[in-house]
Amino acid sequence: MASSRFVLFLLLSLASFSYSHQIEETFLQCLSDILVPNTFLTPDYADFTPLLTSRAINLRFTTPSTPKPEAIFTPLNETQIQTAVICARKLGIQVRVRSGGHDYEGLSYTSVMNSSFVVIDLSKMRGINVDTTENSVWVEAGATIGELNYRVAEKSKTLGFPAGICTSLGVGGHITGGGYGTMMRKYGLAADNVLDARIINANGDILDRKLMGEDVYWAIRGGGGGSFGIIVSWKLELVNVPETVTVFAVTKTLEQDATKILYKWQEVGSVFNEDLFIKVTLAGSNVSGTTNKTVSTTYQALFLGGIDRLMQIMNVSFPELGLQKEDCIEMSWIESVMFFAGYPRNVPPSVLLEGKPSFLNYFKAKSDFVRQVIPESGLDDIWKIMMEEGSPLMIWNPYGGMMNSILESSTPFPHRKGVLFKIQYVASWMDPVMEEKHVGVLRKLYECMTQYVSNSPREAYANFRDLDLGRNDKHEFIYDIDDKRLSWGKMYFKDNFERLVAIKADFDPDYFFIHEQSIPRLSRGT
């Protein structure tokens, strides 16, 4: 019996190897007319694994057991992407598309849905063309938010873009989920500041805003990445920033009245002057000089102006924080980008051109949106879990300002008016054997928060992808409003989900672009 099982295992392994080799050979042959050296790598190349892991920020998806692509193709231009899409579709090969590698569940470079797939990696497409005469920029999908900010700052000290806080985010994917940043209360999301885009559809056609049509243009600005085509570039509207901005970071522990201060922040964070953005990071820690557990709350702020005006606002609206002038630092806009990314003051902004994250770890994240102030008793519930070993971070980002002025239906991103703040939960660890423990505490905290966050649906952020919320496991997954496996759709997009499903059916009727949380099939009877 054991011998029979071994023979069966060997036959299956050989069949799998044969099929994988066939994919590599046929795909390579189809691409042969456009290939240049070092743009097509298969697992037998020495550079394959370094390339695969080069933009994978979550170490959970770089382990030996993680499903790997049959090949990685790094195109140099739009024409090469067109050819790759046409070849993959003709050969029936599933593709995953990666720009920055920040997909929280690794779906841009791995798959639990299909055993055989290839990755189209856009890391070599990083062109940025800034036009200060019309305050716009064309940026290719493989460029990072840090690179974008740096190139804009090169041309102007008074222009910026309201995009992500993490500078190693790929522009291509960041905007497809909405894209929040420190200026969202003043100017909205990255997706709210798009002027045009170039996308390659399942037929290999290159389409701009006019050719793709307003429905698809609506869908790609917040409807999630990987569902409609390959975004190759965005045209973005730049916004005005003062030559001098102000930042601060102030930490309060439970022993320093953190509970009452955070309660007050919930009341005022979303109604501050729109020039002021104050996020709060909550983390378990030790009381100074002891082994006793406490919770630290760190208030990190960007103010689009100078210290004096900031102090006037804080003294009137949020005196509970006890902000002092010496806590504040005036700097340029690009320096504030570095500040929020966690770089020391002595590191030059040119480091942003490297396009790399400042650190890597294993992590799992979840998200929530809060529409009512959490009472102090609820904060006490949070503290109890956050003082447990292996507890996650919580990052609270304020809404209000411009976010209240944009309709839920204006883009697929619906979390607008009435949201006080968004919560990101992040459990991280450095030893892979600790995953179960850390993820367990994360899910416990998320469950605890059920009574304090939005409901019907419980909202979630598409760019903080979370497969706990459900997934497409098969190609034939059909849209059903009552199917709990698709609950992520309503959580990410609310009522916009149904429109996304209809647009997907029209724009990609053969469902070539699919992944575990891609927009599902529209049933024929719908």
Side-chain angles (χ1 to χ4, degrees), residues 295-369:
V295 175
S296 297
T297 58
T298 299
Y299 295 80
Q300 195 175 20
L302 169 70
F303 179 65
L304 298 174
I307 290 177
D308 290 341
R309 188 160 74 93
L310 171 60
M311 290 303 301
Q312 290 175 2
I313 293 171
M314 292 294 290
N315 288 337
V316 171
S317 301
F318 196 21
E320 291 82 0
L321 185 61
L323 183 69
Q324 302 298 310
K325 222 172 183 180
E326 53 266 29
D327 297 323
C328 305
I329 309 170
E330 290 186 340
M331 56 178 57
S332 66
W333 157 250
I334 192 64
E335 288 174 324
S336 77
V337 170
M338 300 284 290
F339 174 82
F340 272 88
Y343 288 101
R345 289 296 307 279
N346 61 349
V347 174
S350 57
V351 72
L352 297 174
L353 296 178
E354 296 178 5
K356 296 179 180 179
S358 54
F359 63 90
L360 297 172
N361 56 21
Y362 299 83
F363 72 88
K364 167 72 178 175
K366 302 182 78 65
S367 60
D368 264 318
F369 288 84

Side-chain angles (χ1 to χ4, degrees), residues 364 385 388 390 392 427 429 434-446:
K364 167 72 178 175
I385 297 177
E388 293 184 17
W429 57 95
M434 298 299 293
E435 176 170 343
E436 183 176 352
K437 179 175 185 176
H438 284 270
V439 174
V441 181
L442 171 75
R443 289 172 176 154
K444 178 180 177 181
L445 178 58
Y446 182 76

Side-chain angles (χ1 to χ4, degrees), residues 57-125:
I57 67 155
N58 194 341
L59 296 179
R60 285 174 63 210
F61 306 111
T62 62
T63 65
S65 62
T66 301
K68 306 294 191 299
E70 306 297 339
I72 305 173
F73 178 50
T74 53
L76 303 177
N77 53 52
E78 292 179 343
T79 301
Q80 291 182 353
I81 300 175
Q82 286 180 285
T83 303
V85 168
I86 292 169
C87 288
R89 187 177 182 190
K90 180 173 72 173
L91 297 169
I93 299 172
Q94 191 198 13
V95 300
R96 295 292 165 112
V97 183
R98 180 168 75 171
S99 56
H102 275 248
D103 188 302
Y104 277 20
E105 297 283 8
L107 302 187
S108 62
Y109 52 92
T110 188
S111 173
V112 296
M113 194 171 157
N114 292 83
S115 57
S116 297
F117 62 100
V118 298
V119 168
I120 298 177
D121 185 304
L122 304 179
S123 59
K124 293 181 179 179
M125 296 188 61

